[in-house]
Amino acid sequence: MAETVQFDLVSPERLLTSAAVDEVQIPGADGDMTAMAGHAPLITTLRPGLVRATSREGETEYVVTGGFAEIDGDSISVLAERAVPRADMTQDEMKSMVDEATERLNAAKQAQDNEPGPVDEAAKLLSDMVAVGERIGLSPN
């Protein structure tokens, strides 16, 4: 039997899960990763995507808009800017997330004339949110 690791997923509103799991797939800012018991210590930022926790009971997915993940040998903690269980995602929730990303992009464009960094980051956020919606079968419109 595979060794388990403690997994906690928290958003500003609530604790979404706290469970012993076999592995957690994380949409890291530098690429997707899978964390398991005994993983080397690591802190990474998240990009919008799906966090997938696998345990004996099966897989559970959560849509996240960004945040941080802290991994050590004994636990995996994901601190999400916004997180919704995949099973609870609705068209309205997806639209709200895409609208928020669009607002960030527009604000960055207005505030950062001739400063491509923040605008590029906001554009990437919007693109990632649209991609998440398409992956889970929800249109951003």
Side-chain angles (χ1 to χ4, degrees), residues 47-103:
R47 70 175 196 291
L50 295 174
V51 170
R52 180 180 296 123
T54 304
S55 68
R56 277 187 268 171
E57 290 77 34
E59 286 187 352
T60 307
E61 293 182 323
Y62 304 88
V63 176
V64 297
T65 61
F68 297 91
E70 181 178 7
I71 303 165
D72 66 31
D74 300 323
S75 66
I76 302 166
S77 298
V78 174
L79 309 170
E81 290 175 359
R82 189 169 174 188
V84 177
R86 167 63 183 102
D88 295 346
M89 279 297 294
T90 63
Q91 185 64 51
D92 289 341
E93 187 77 33
M94 188 72 231
K95 183 175 180 341
S96 171
M97 289 178 170
V98 170
D99 287 349
E100 185 176 308
T102 301
E103 289 172 16

Side-chain angles (χ1 to χ4, degrees), residues 23-36 39 42 44-52 61-62 64 69 71 124 128 131-132 135:
E23 67 180 38
V24 179
Q25 294 176 0
I26 299 168
D30 293 327
D32 293 343
M33 67 178 68
T34 300
M36 303 166 71
H39 195 286
L42 173 75
T44 186
T45 55
L46 303 178
R47 70 175 196 291
L50 295 174
V51 170
R52 180 180 296 123
E61 293 182 323
Y62 304 88
V64 297
I71 303 165
K124 174 81 169 97
D128 286 345
V132 169
R135 181 172 177 194

Side-chain angles (χ1 to χ4, degrees), residues 113-125:
D113 280 343
N114 300 319
E115 295 282 337
V119 174
D120 291 346
E121 290 172 13
K124 174 81 169 97
L125 172 68

